[in-house]
Amino acid sequence: MSPPRTPRRERADSAGTVRAGAGPRRPSVPATARWLIGLLVVLVGGLALSGTALAATTTPPATPQAVSQATAAPAQQTDGIEVSGTLRDQDGEPLAGVTITAELDGAPAGEATGRWELTVPSAGSYTFRLDESTLPPGTEVLQGETVREVSDGALNTVVFRFGEEVAGGAGGGFAMFLRLLVDGIRFGLVIGIAAVGLSLIFGTTGLTNFAHGEMVTIGAVVAWFINVGGGVQLIPATIIAMLVGALLGAANELGIWRRLRRRGAGLIAQLVVSIGLGIALRYLVLIIFGGRSESFADYTAQTVRNYGPIALTDKDLSAIIVSIVVLVGVALLLQKTRIGKAMRAVSDNRDLAASSGINVDRVILFVWMLGGALATLGGVLFALSELSSTVQYEMGFRLLLLMFAGVILGGLGTAYGALIGCLIVGVLVQLSTLVLPLDLKYLGGLAVLIVILVFRPQGLLGSKARIG
């Protein structure tokens, strides 16, 4: 009688690898995803700590002093918080030798010429006054005193208004409403340019990309480097930056997201990776570009032109025209071209599109390149029309909430819904300044985001679906 067989045990080969006697091997995808996420969290934490330490060691308090842009050397660094502005009369001519004073417990300021920069010692609510006795004869001032909340790391810009008050037709209130409505449409179009790529990426991959705001920042920073450092006019510099943005989008897809999808990483894991990637890119831009607000070499200050009750600068009008042309071009791309129809098919049903012969990976790669180029253009237009032609490392992060509000309002995954939602958000943000302080106008976007998630989470043009 033969002895009973004992169960098969795990045995080790000569290399020390444990092999199971029976049963399939466990997949290694979850462990790989956890390793990648843990590595990214450690990297982001290290960058955050290093950025905090760098900020703590480079911003000690100092005495206030005024700096004129015409005479300050780039190598000279001043401590404190910088406040800037541009002095131009009603004809658009720079004003020289005008005295600007800042008051916070008697803190003085100096003399500014044209584009001016002023360093104040600390954060606080400052009262900025323009000495009208130093203005050239015939210069009319609409607003020569303003109160500005100055904070470290923010874009601290002070605006003084010159010229005659624009007549409001039958009523000044209606004229103000009309001007804010046009500003809201302009702002909404700019948000839409940056958010269309975010919506298309979600529609084709299901990824909620929190790093998309940093694509906006990187596009504006690249355009600034080409414009200021390379001496290239801003329009061709923007086109070059859009090509760089498209290449960066392709690098994101090929280097990160396609690998995660092929390894079976879930949407929650990809969401965490996108958050960490956004933080890492923001600190990378801070290290390379710096924390100061920098101006483009072109279109820094322009004359406001009156079109009836509406007042617009040439760059604001150009931003509206460029946004409309680009968005119409994207719509025609989606409706009339083969790649556009393939994008819509992948967005509707990726498996069915693949079974019908569509190269899904190639379509997703094109979507990432298109999203990167549009984010770059949106960053330049946002800097020109909303940030007084200045670039800063947090600008994309500030726009990210409004992009998400517009995309969710219109419907996640739909390009046309994103456009409609961004237009509504832009108008509400500008009209909110009728009842809210100017520094709090972005709260309107947050309110829209909360309301739409509570009452209609699928958005205006979206369909009900379970996500996650």
Side-chain angles (χ1 to χ4, degrees):
M1 182 174 179
S2 60
R5 292 188 301 174
T6 58
R8 300 176 66 184
R9 299 177 178 273
E10 295 181 347
R11 56 186 180 275
D13 57 12
S14 60
T17 304
V18 177
R19 300 182 180 274
R25 298 179 63 185
R26 295 179 61 189
S28 61
V29 171
T32 304
R34 288 195 297 270
W35 177 85
L36 180 61
I37 294 171
L39 180 62
L40 187 60
V41 169
V42 172
L43 175 62
V44 171
L47 287 172
L49 291 176
S50 63
T52 304
L54 180 63
T57 57
T58 56
T59 57
T63 57
Q65 64 182 77
V67 180
S68 174
Q69 189 183 26
T71 59
Q76 294 177 348
Q77 299 292 332
T78 57
D79 298 324
I81 303 176
E82 292 190 353
V83 185
S84 62
T86 302
L87 297 177
R88 290 181 178 269
D89 61 13
Q90 59 267 28
D91 298 323
E93 299 297 328
L95 298 175
V98 181
T99 300
I100 307 294
T101 58
E103 293 184 4
L104 177 65
D105 298 331
E111 191 171 282
T113 302
R115 174 71 183 177
W116 57 274
E117 292 182 358
L118 178 68
T119 302
V120 295
S122 61
S125 181
Y126 285 81
T127 300
F128 294 89
R129 289 189 177 89
L130 186 148
D131 188 355
E132 297 187 16
S133 63
T134 60
L135 290 172
T139 303
E140 300 180 1
V141 181
L142 283 178
Q143 183 183 18
E145 177 180 330
T146 181
V147 178
R148 174 75 182 184
E149 191 72 26
V150 177
S151 58
D152 192 10
L155 180 63
N156 302 303
T157 303
V158 177
V159 178
F160 296 99
R161 299 171 60 195
F162 298 91
E164 299 179 355
E165 189 69 52
V166 180
F174 177 74
M176 177 62 70
F177 173 82
L178 189 59
R179 288 196 293 273
L180 291 176
L181 178 63
V182 174
D183 284 341
I185 294 174
R186 170 193 54 76
F187 190 33
L189 289 172
V190 172
I191 301 174
I193 286 287
V196 164
L198 179 66
S199 182
L200 290 175
I201 290 171
F202 177 85
T204 53
T205 65
L207 170 66
T208 305
N209 184 21
F210 277 85
H212 194 76
E214 311 315 316
M215 297 286 290
V216 174
T217 303
I218 291 174
V221 169
V222 170
W224 179 85
F225 272 114
I226 298 173
N227 175 235
V228 177
V232 182
Q233 206 272 341
L234 185 58
I235 294 177
T238 302
I239 296 175
I240 298 173
M242 290 178 65
L243 296 177
V244 175
L247 294 177
L248 182 59
N252 276 332
E253 161 62 12
L254 297 176
I256 301 176
W257 308 114
R258 181 175 295 185
R259 294 174 180 268
L260 289 177
R261 290 196 305 271
R262 289 181 175 178
R263 292 179 179 271
L267 292 178
I268 300 300
Q270 295 183 46
L271 173 65
V272 175
V273 171
S274 73
I275 295 175
L277 179 62
I279 298 174
L281 289 176
R282 195 179 316 145
Y283 278 105
L284 181 63
V285 173
L286 176 61
I287 293 171
I288 297 175
F289 177 73
R292 298 178 57 183
S293 301
E294 301 289 350
S295 300
F296 288 120
D298 305 313
Y299 314 121
T300 55
Q302 292 186 332
T303 305
V304 177
R305 303 184 186 278
N306 297 323
Y307 302 92
I310 302 172
L312 291 172
T313 61
D314 291 340
K315 63 182 179 181
D316 290 339
L317 184 60
S318 300
I320 294 175
I321 296 174
V322 170
S323 300
I324 292 176
V325 170
V326 172
L327 291 173
V328 170
V330 172
L332 293 176
L333 173 71
L334 293 173
Q335 295 291 337
K336 302 297 183 181
T337 63
R338 292 183 60 185
I339 186 64
K341 295 176 181 178
M343 290 163 57
R344 291 159 53 199
V346 173
S347 179
D348 289 338
N349 193 317
R350 188 191 310 177
D351 296 332
L352 182 59
S355 64
S356 63
I358 297 176
N359 190 331
V360 175
D361 286 339
R362 184 178 300 174
V363 171
I364 293 177
L365 177 61
F366 180 82
V367 168
W368 274 96
M369 295 179 68
L370 178 63
L374 291 177
T376 298
L377 178 60
V380 175
L381 294 179
F382 180 57
L384 282 175
S385 61
E386 192 69 16
L387 300 181
S388 302
S389 299
T390 59
V391 179
Q392 61 174 164
Y393 82 100
E394 281 187 323
M395 55 181 294
F397 180 70
R398 294 170 56 191
L399 195 63
L400 184 63
L401 172 64
L402 300 181
M403 288 192 289
F404 272 117
V407 169
I408 294 175
L409 177 60
L412 278 169
T414 61
Y416 302 117
L419 174 59
I420 295 175
C422 290
L423 281 174
I424 295 175
V425 169
V427 170
L428 289 178
V429 165
Q430 296 295 344
L431 290 179
S432 66
T433 58
L434 293 172
V435 294
L436 293 176
L438 187 62
D439 294 338
L440 301 179
K441 67 177 183 179
Y442 289 168
L443 289 180
L446 178 61
V448 170
L449 183 61
I450 295 174
V451 170
I452 198 65
L453 286 176
V454 170
F455 293 100
R456 189 177 174 85
Q458 71 270 26
L460 298 178
L461 300 184
S463 57
K464 291 184 178 181
R466 181 180 178 182
I467 300 175

